[in-house]
Amino acid sequence: MSEIDELKKKLAMACRMLFLAELVDYSGHISVRIPGTDRFLINGHPISRAEVTPDDIVTFDPEGKRVEGKWNLPSELPMHSRTYRVRDDVQSVAHLHNRMVVVLSMADRPLMPASNPGALFGPGPIPVYHDPALIHTNEQGDEVARTLGARDAAILRGHGSIVVGQSIEWTFAACVDLEESAARLCFASTLGPVRFYTDDEVNRVSKGRKKLSVIQKVWDHYVAKARLAGLMEGV
Ligand SMILES: [Zn+2]
């Protein structure tokens, strides 16, 4: 299998697993940089995230234009294309419509590390993009990229989030951690004041979360879960 075919297969798997984890609904997407080129791959606009195949993956250029693939690009593509322009270190970008992250943003509660999944995104609160409108223009995409800065995630108030990483597997695992971090914080907040991690705790815990073996373990777990759920046929 060629490197591009391998990436298309992984993206299709990631879409189905993000659906399984309820991090995307009928919308939401994940993209990857094709190494050694100025091209990128992403799931096509109309296909259910529950049944994306490698054949449904679309190629786009740095201007956000489709260069290969049978489907239209997602309407919120500028979030991806404008982030890649300013983040050479980023290999993969995901846009989620994740419930608990959105719930916190609705209450104007900062998402700060208070459990191990949250440590990946600290120290300090995850930046928030406050305009709830969908990201359809390059100007909006630039503003989201500015909000993200050098961080691994940004919250889109009332809407979802953007998560970036060094590979499809890395970004997928970070997506899982982001939502789990928000869910735990929401639950803990109902019990009283939350004890947040110190910067030292964040640094020590996040080192473990960033190990490639841990990221692969998260990926393999969700592959197994998706297979059990019958969600991997045709990938
Ligand atoms: Zn969206």
Side-chain angles (χ1 to χ4, degrees):
M1 190 182 282
S2 73
E3 188 179 21
I4 290 182
D5 287 344
E6 187 69 38
L7 289 173
K8 286 182 177 177
K9 180 179 174 178
K10 274 190 194 168
L11 274 189
M13 292 168 75
C15 284
R16 294 181 186 212
M17 285 149 51
L18 288 172
F19 163 78
L20 178 70
E22 298 188 347
L23 300 179
V24 299
D25 45 28
Y26 45 85
S27 294
H29 11 87
I30 182 164
S31 64
V32 67
R33 194 189 290 275
I34 304 175
T37 75
D38 63 351
R39 302 275 163 96
F40 310 86
L41 302 170
I42 194 166
N43 51 300
H45 170 77
I47 299 299
S48 167
R49 281 54 179 154
E51 53 185 20
V52 176
T53 70
D55 200 33
D56 298 318
I57 302 299
V58 184
T59 310
F60 65 95
D61 67 14
E63 303 307 315
K65 299 274 183 287
R66 180 178 63 176
V67 291
E68 192 254 317
K70 62 184 179 184
W71 303 117
N72 287 338
L73 289 160
S75 60
E76 293 193 281
L77 187 83
M79 224 183 297
H80 299 256
S81 56
R82 307 306 278 190
T83 296
Y84 285 121
R85 279 169 75 100
V86 292
R87 288 287 300 270
D88 285 345
D89 60 314
V90 165
Q91 303 304 316
S92 177
V93 175
H95 167 47
L96 310 175
H97 291 164
N98 39 352
R99 183 177 297 122
M100 298 311 282
V101 168
V102 168
V103 166
L104 279 179
S105 76
M106 291 162 62
D108 261 336
R109 294 285 181 92
L111 180 42
M112 312 231 307
S115 65
N116 283 13
L120 188 65
F121 305 97
I126 295 178
V128 180
Y129 175 80
H130 289 277
D131 185 351
L134 299 190
I135 311 302
H136 287 159
T137 69
N138 285 341
E139 290 71 25
Q140 290 172 303
D142 287 339
E143 202 49 52
V144 170
R146 256 195 297 277
T147 303
L148 178 68
R151 302 289 291 269
D152 292 329
I155 295 165
L156 313 174
R157 181 175 70 89
H159 172 186
S161 57
I162 178 171
V163 179
V164 302
Q166 297 173 19
S167 66
I168 297 170
E169 293 93 326
W170 179 296
T171 297
F172 175 80
C175 290
V176 171
D177 272 2
L178 180 66
E179 180 68 355
E180 184 61 27
S181 161
R184 290 182 186 188
L185 184 54
C186 281
F187 292 138
S189 300
T190 66
L191 301 174
V194 173
R195 183 177 171 187
F196 291 102
Y197 281 14
T198 64
D199 288 0
D200 177 58
E201 287 170 337
V202 167
N203 290 332
R204 285 188 291 118
V205 173
S206 67
K207 263 186 203 149
R209 304 296 290 194
K210 287 178 179 171
K211 279 186 185 162
L212 291 183
S213 59
V214 174
I215 288 160
Q216 190 64 44
K217 196 175 167 194
V218 175
W219 177 266
D220 290 344
H221 173 66
Y222 274 87
V223 170
K225 247 178 126 168
R227 286 209 178 106
L228 273 177
L231 263 178
M232 277 302 178
E233 280 175 34
V235 183

